[in-house]
Amino acid sequence: MKIDPIELAVFKSTVHSVAEEMGAALRRTAFSPNIKERRDYSCAVFNDEGDAIAMGDHMPVHLGSMPMSVRQAIDHVELGPGDVAILNDPYAGGTHLPDITMVLPVFADPIARPTFYVAARAHHADVGGQYPGSMGPCREIYQEGIRIPSIRLVKSGAIVRDVLDLLLYNVRTAEEREGDLLSQIGACRVGEARLHEVIARYSGKLPDLSRELLDYSERLVRAELAKMPAGAFAATDFLDDDGLTETPVPIRVSIRIDPHARQAKIDFTGSAPQVNSSINAVYAITYSAVYYVFRCLLPGEAPATSGIMRPLEVIAPRGSIVNAVPPAAVAGGNVETSQRIVDVVMRALAEAVPERIPSASSGTMNNLTIGGLDDRTKAQFAYYETIAGGMGARPTGDGLSGVHTHMTNSLNTPAEALEYAYPLRVRRYSYRPCSGGIGKHRGGDGLVREIELLSDAQVTLLADRRRLSPYGLSGGGPGATGLTVLVRPDGQHVLPGKCSINAHKGDLIRIETPGGGGWGSTR
Amino acid sequence: MQIAIDSGGTFTDCIYKEGGALKVLKVFSTPGNPGTAVMSAIRTISNGGKATVRHGTTVGTNALLERKGARVAFVTTAGFEDIISIGRQARANLYDWFAESEPCIVPPDLRFGITERTAADGTILQRAEEDELRDLAEKIRAAGAESIALCLLFSFANPGNEIAAANVLRELGLPLSLSHVILPEFREYERASTVTVNAYLSPKVGGYLQRLDDEMQPLSMQGAFEVMQSSGGIIPARFAAEQPVRTVLSGPAGGVVGAYRLALQSGFSRIISFDMGGTSTDVALIDGAQEGPRTIGDALVSQLPISVPMLDIHTIGAGGGSLARFDAAGIMHVGPESAGAAPGPICYGHGTQPTVTDANLILGRLHPDHFLGGTVKLDVSRTRSYMEKALGPLATPEELSGGIALLAEAAMERAIRVISVERGHDPREFTLVAFGGAGPLHACALAKALRMPRVLIPAHPGALSALGILLADTVRDYSKTVMLKSNVDLEPQFKELEKLVNAGTADSAIPSTVLRSLDLRYAGQGYELNVPAGTDFLETFHRTHQKRYGYADERKAVEIVSLRLRVTTPGEAVHLDAFAPGDGDASQALLGAHSMIFDGKVETGKVYQRELLEPEDRLIGPALVVEYSATTVLPPGWTGFVDDYKNLLLEVSQ
């Protein structure tokens, strides 16, 4: 069947609005600050084969990995009408344990195969394990929290209570978890209801429309590749350390662009082996980072579908920092290593298309987790936030200051929301002057955030770019490295980028985030 | 006498009642000083007797959109000076490395901190020293600020520190916007932004309203001078001068209220208003079966959060001037780029890229000889020849035009879904009220796609906003963040809030109704639902949550985040008179025939002059109804009926 370009355009925006609507429902009903305030979640719509045909403008780090979750659910759970699958195993469709994904099949005909799938993924504030917030410096995945293979959480519309109880018994803030899980199921149902309208409207044309939408994304990528120079472009960048030793961890990439065949191979061979700490990235993360960079090279209206990756081959050696195997711990791979993979891919592309690539942004999410017993209520609490930094300068102008870049776009938690909910007091939230790299165009400045503890608590920091700066391009200077200071009555103590400490009531944590690299020489 | 005046970009529209009949006066706007047109209209209309003047103004809107407000000093708790610029630390475009952000309306040298602190429970942890406040006042004077926004952390929980600072800063003699007065609600960035926008607009809007008031005095009208708020309610001009942030959507709010009141008069209380202009389209849903016009508290205007109540108007950047193009992979896009006023659509004679207006001309849905009363002739052959160059994979200008119309309508449909389906309303239960230059062109197609049963094209489409302003109630909103458990006695809290009401409306003789409502959420959630503060508010909350978000949990604790009061004083009753019915035959208005294209098929339809139609006249699609400011399209299968108030009702024939 021939699909005309107008019908396709309408279909594209219809399915995209379904994903956006799911996201809005999730955000408005969730309990974790990570979901409701920071918006660390993603919702997407898939065709009957499990290919993503629409993804909300949520978290880029989930781009490539959402289809892998749906694939797992399709392959391992026989999903019927009214069922919802749940999973978080990073080695089978997940990213890191706090990201829990739900998959719901949508049936046009209850006795046939599903016509669509919808998925909602959200970052939960705690999934158990050794450290409150489940983002601590672990050595293996078993310490990081509960690991959920793809299983049924909802059967024929009813929650499978024993599965839910098993999950809730293994996390610190069970009531909040239950609320978030219900909210995710609600979001999937919102998507399901909307897709039934889509089915009524398009019926028999749906397979062709979905296929054409995927082909369309593919054509957009190929059109960009055709404009690029032929050749192999290589770059190396480093994570400061693995949190256990002080040795930098290299990530290496070689991008071979073939503009005639309109395809590219992105090869990470030569990157460091996986490490004994949590900064290992599973393949889904590496794949998502590559997906993100190429998505940014496309025009603004390009849909985020699985078709984008067809012309791109991603090679990541098994057992390396960019394709870890069990039992490696992986919590930090999702938030930190993912940013470095973007940095290194962009640096390599800057060799090919320098006018299209900005300098390195802050390159870390400055993950801060504070957990313990709230003196006021005698209840457990687990608070998690990420702090933005400077954006790399662009060939066209300065980088923005104090903004999340690349693989994350989570909001801050308002001080007035945070202080209601937790035994914490925000003392400062400001720009960090002069932290952006110098250059013809300046890198954006990072931020300074100070939080005072009103109860004893365990403070966990997972951050990078503390030793090695974000790079500048075309002669621009590097951005300033980040800094974390623990302020106590006995003085100030600089903390390493990756650590977990027992802090006391009255202690103050000051985090200064890295600036972006400058672009172009000042001369 | 009551006079309502709405300042638009081109015309200043007035509606007033004289000798029992509503009269319309249109004068050309004077964008340099909108007051000139307003005063000239008042002088024309005023008969020397007592008159109340109600005004919808774009002075604030334009100052905000064009970033031409005052030099604002932003004063907050020390350490938080940059929050007004950092915002929520997120970027607007996920995948665009080159996107720029609007510079903050407060430059870095105008951000000031005070060493003070209030805790979440209202305890004052630290008070500012008098000396520091004096120093601060001196710095603000030296920096050349024209207006001050004061927003201290947790000032809504205890305004003590904010009041102390205000007492010192007041001596500077600058307009002072206080966060605990304007928006005593939590979330510091959104509150700061609202207060800062208020400070940014207050010299300009305050000065403008004061000048108008001064100029009216010699006319010895002695009546009230009032202004339309974004919430759809009227406030005295002196309040608007103090809190101009409440007026940034004054004009569009008038349109929504006008659409609602006209529809109500014709017997339809559940409407979706659809106002499509040249560059943007506003849609809003009003459910008279529930609470009537609905306001939201988390609007974003020109990228800035404004958290005072505003009608829930959803705006998209697509209109008659939106440009069509094909991308590298062969898919067609309509908008967001627009041909604007210059060069405009191809058919006006200057543009070269196809727009939605051009598509309507090629499809025969605009008549080349009856545009703006025939004063502008639309160039069909010029349009065809430029379209031939922009066909992409399509074969003919007709095919291209059909696609453009379809995509534009799909964008409109999505906008309506956002305010209906996404908020738990079924569009099939609503009447589509279409206005603006392009609304009536697309209304039937849109109603069909959304399976809405009926379209209403209001009489006075050009002065609908002024009509809304004339008919609107006087409304004042009060709120306060409290963070309470759901089992506490709210009476003392509401009583406290009502003291503000008594202070604010002591001068009004007309009895007011006070509506209490609550912003609720399950304890631990981050967003609230607003429900009436009746005895059954918990049940209402669970039910609304289920409807909106797909689940509810009655075992969970519910938290009362904020209290709200809405004080409504009905406007002076203005009764619209019905017209005498005609003979049911529209032939007196018939201008001729015209060929049009629907679904790729050419059809011939009649063309009618709207102004000559009479009540009870019936029309059969395909047909066009042309009037000075708009053209209404009746596709095949639709029938039209002129009601007693000369509104045009369109329905699909059975």
Side-chain angles (χ1 to χ4, degrees), chain B residues 501-517:
Chain B
V501 179
N502 298 331
T505 54
D507 54 342
S508 173
I510 306 168
S512 305
T513 55
V514 179
L515 188 74
R516 294 175 172 186
S517 67

Side-chain angles (χ1 to χ4, degrees), chain B residues 171 174 299 385 412 436 558 593 602 642:
Chain B
E171 292 166 17
L174 298 174
S385 74
M412 308 292 153
V558 174
V602 181
V642 183

Side-chain angles (χ1 to χ4, degrees), chain A residues 75-320:
Chain A
D75 291 347
H76 296 278
V77 186
E78 204 176 300
L79 287 169
D83 292 357
V84 180
I86 182 172
L87 66 104
N88 77 343
D89 182 9
Y91 293 110
T95 48
H96 62 169
L97 295 177
D99 279 342
I100 298 181
T101 308
M102 303 255 190
V103 179
L104 178 148
V106 180
F107 291 86
D109 172 357
I111 53 162
R113 292 177 55 232
T115 307
F116 293 109
Y117 295 87
V118 292
R121 173 181 295 167
H123 184 130
H124 289 247
D126 187 282
V127 288
Q130 191 174 349
Y131 298 94
S134 315
M135 293 285 290
C138 299
R139 305 294 187 96
E140 51 181 12
I141 193 164
Y142 308 109
Q143 297 162 351
E144 293 193 298
I146 185 165
R147 195 169 158 195
I148 315 165
S150 44
I151 50 174
R152 241 184 234 102
L153 180 63
V154 180
K155 171 84 184 145
S156 305
I159 290 191
V160 185
R161 194 68 222 184
D162 42 7
V163 168
L164 180 63
D165 285 345
L166 177 63
L167 299 182
L168 297 181
Y169 270 72
N170 280 282
V171 301
R172 287 184 179 77
T173 41
E175 198 183 340
E176 184 183 274
R177 270 318 51 68
E178 182 173 4
D180 285 341
L181 293 171
L182 284 178
S183 158
Q184 274 181 280
I185 294 170
C188 287
R189 287 185 178 151
V190 164
E192 179 186 31
R194 284 293 311 279
L195 285 171
H196 276 297
E197 290 178 31
V198 173
I199 290 167
R201 184 160 174 172
Y202 292 100
S203 62
K205 276 189 177 169
L206 281 174
D208 292 307
L209 280 166
S210 297
R211 189 181 329 105
E212 187 56 30
L213 193 52
L214 293 163
D215 292 349
Y216 163 67
S217 309
E218 178 184 346
R219 287 199 300 274
L220 280 173
V221 181
R222 291 196 189 276
E224 287 299 325
L225 290 169
K227 288 190 275 184
M228 290 191 183
F233 306 92
T236 304
D237 202 342
F238 299 86
L239 289 157
D240 289 339
D241 53 63
D242 62 7
L244 302 171
T245 67
E246 299 202 346
T247 316
V249 181
I251 299 179
R252 208 156 278 160
V253 74
S254 169
I255 303 177
R256 180 168 293 283
I257 298 171
D258 183 346
H260 303 293
R262 298 189 298 167
Q263 61 192 30
K265 181 153 113 182
I266 298 94
D267 186 348
F268 289 93
T269 302
S271 299
Q274 66 186 51
V275 296
N276 283 325
S277 71
S278 81
I279 57 163
N280 299 296
V282 293
Y283 181 75
I285 299 293
T286 305
Y287 189 80
S288 291
V290 171
Y291 186 144
Y292 162 78
V293 172
F294 279 85
R295 169 64 187 81
C296 288
L297 293 171
L298 301 181
E301 63 268 5
T305 75
S306 296
I308 286 182
M309 292 303 283
R310 286 182 190 159
L312 307 174
E313 186 186 355
V314 180
I315 296 169
R318 269 180 65 79
S320 75

Side-chain angles (χ1 to χ4, degrees), chain B residues 10-11 26 28 370-375 461-462 609-611 625-631:
Chain B
T10 315
F11 294 109
K26 261 178 142 50
F28 278 103
H370 297 289
F371 191 73
L372 285 179
T375 56
Q609 184 75 40
R610 173 88 188 259
E611 290 83 351
V625 182
V626 298
E627 60 193 301
Y628 182 81
S629 59
T631 298

Side-chain angles (χ1 to χ4, degrees), chain B residues 73 75-76 114 148-152 162 165-166 169 176-179 195:
Chain B
V75 182
T76 186
I114 300 179
I148 301 171
L150 183 54
C151 179
L152 304 184
E162 203 165 276
L169 296 179
L176 191 55
S177 299
L178 305 178
S179 83
V195 174

